[in-house]
């Protein structure tokens, strides 16, 4: 029986991907490297630590990479402080499901970024727990974030349902033995979501899918 919903954050609950793309593109521009949307999708959305991969391609040394990463993070914080919109329908869906199942957010976002993102969304009042990047060693597509969420909350794989928007997140969920609903948004549209339990176009369709498992 379904006991828990495990939500990804960026692209599923909040519209941050364009902001992170902008911060990464500007950081790489300082190194003389151009970053277009296609390469961002390949190196950041389908894989992890895209900044290091692209810098490595161009022979950027470790100190310069560290400086670029620091600049990127500071710029991202600046963009987040201007306000982050929730995905249309996210708040209503979380409110609808609140109390019916245990709900958590499992994200690759760092704690500082996560807290800024949700400073004004009102979404955290609807969930029972959240895991951020500092809560595990390996990020998605490693299954560790999902496995950590299950371990900390005493959940078995068949008791959970993941909601993701990216190929990387789906791969992590499948590697953890979890069912996953994929809801592509923006730059994640067109990714390979084979293996997803369901693929939806709108977060508002999640409650109906949940009902089939309860």
């Amino acid at each position: 029986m379904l006991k828990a919903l495990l939500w990804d954050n960026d692209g599923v609950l909040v519209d941050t991907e364009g902001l992170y793309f902008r911060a990464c593109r500007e950081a790489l521009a300082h190194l003389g490297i151009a970053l277009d949307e296609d390469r961002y999708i390949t190196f950041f959305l389908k894989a992890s630590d895209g900044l290091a991969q692209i810098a490595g391609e161009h022979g950027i040394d470790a100190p310069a990479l560290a400086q670029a990463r620091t600049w990127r993070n500071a710029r991202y914080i600046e963009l987040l402080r201007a306000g982050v919109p929730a995905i249309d329908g996210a708040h209503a869906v979380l409110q609808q499901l609140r109390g019916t199942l245990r709900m958590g957010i499992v994200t690759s976002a760092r704690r500082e970024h996560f807290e800024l993102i949700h400073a004004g969304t009102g979404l955290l009042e609807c969930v029972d727990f959240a895991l951020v990047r500092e809560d595990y060693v390996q990020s998605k597509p490693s299954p560790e974030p999902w496995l950590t969420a299950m371990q900390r909350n005493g959940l078995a794989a068949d008791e959970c349902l993941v909601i993701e928007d990216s190929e990387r997140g789906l791969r992590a969920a499948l590697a953890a033995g979890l069912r996953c609903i994929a809801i592509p948004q923006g730059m994640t549209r067109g990714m390979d979501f084979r293996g997803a339990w369901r693929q939806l176009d709108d977060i508002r369709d999640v409650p109906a899918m949940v009902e089939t498992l309860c």
Side-chain angles (χ1 to χ4, degrees):
M1 178 180 291
L2 184 64
K3 293 184 178 180
L5 294 179
L6 305 179
W7 298 87
D8 179 44
N9 186 60
D10 299 273
V12 172
L13 298 176
V14 288
D15 188 9
T16 54
E17 207 59 69
L19 302 179
Y20 195 65
F21 170 45
R22 181 177 173 183
C24 291
R25 183 179 58 191
E26 292 177 4
L28 285 168
H30 282 286
L31 298 174
I33 302 171
L35 178 65
D36 61 22
E37 189 172 297
D38 287 341
R39 283 174 63 78
Y40 177 78
I41 290 169
T42 298
F43 286 95
F44 291 85
L45 297 184
K46 292 184 178 181
S48 59
D49 203 8
L51 200 67
Q53 293 183 59
I54 293 175
E57 281 187 351
H58 290 80
I60 303 300
D61 62 21
L65 173 60
Q67 186 176 14
R69 187 175 282 124
T70 298
W71 192 96
R72 186 270 312 277
N73 291 343
R75 177 61 172 144
Y76 187 47
I77 286 170
E78 181 181 10
L79 294 170
L80 293 178
R81 282 179 173 152
V84 177
I87 294 292
D88 194 23
H91 196 272
V93 167
L94 291 187
Q95 285 279 25
Q96 180 180 348
L97 294 171
R98 183 182 185 183
T100 63
L101 294 164
R102 190 161 177 77
M103 292 200 296
I105 299 174
V106 182
T107 177
S108 297
R110 296 199 172 274
R111 188 176 309 279
E112 181 180 13
H113 298 163
F114 184 76
E115 291 175 352
L116 282 172
I117 286 167
H118 287 288
T121 67
L123 296 177
L124 296 187
E125 66 186 24
C126 301
V127 301
D128 301 293
F129 64 90
L131 269 66
V132 297
R133 184 64 184 86
E134 289 86 348
D135 290 317
Y136 44 84
V137 176
Q138 297 186 61
S139 186
K140 304 169 189 176
S142 166
E144 185 182 351
W146 303 118
L147 294 173
T148 301
M150 287 189 287
Q151 181 181 28
R152 290 190 180 185
N153 291 277
L155 296 165
D158 62 359
E159 296 173 331
C160 302
L161 179 64
V162 167
I163 301 91
E164 266 284 359
D165 74 310
S166 72
E167 184 179 325
R168 180 179 65 171
L170 171 62
R171 293 204 312 270
L174 294 177
L178 293 162
R179 292 166 294 190
C180 181
I181 290 176
I183 312 177
Q185 299 279 348
M187 286 184 277
T188 65
R189 294 188 186 278
M191 286 188 176
D192 183 0
F193 290 105
R194 285 176 294 180
W197 180 69
R198 295 287 188 276
Q199 183 171 335
L200 304 176
D201 295 321
D202 196 305
I203 193 172
R204 296 177 184 87
D205 296 326
V206 170
M209 295 293 100
V210 169
E211 286 183 8
T212 68
L213 296 174
C214 292

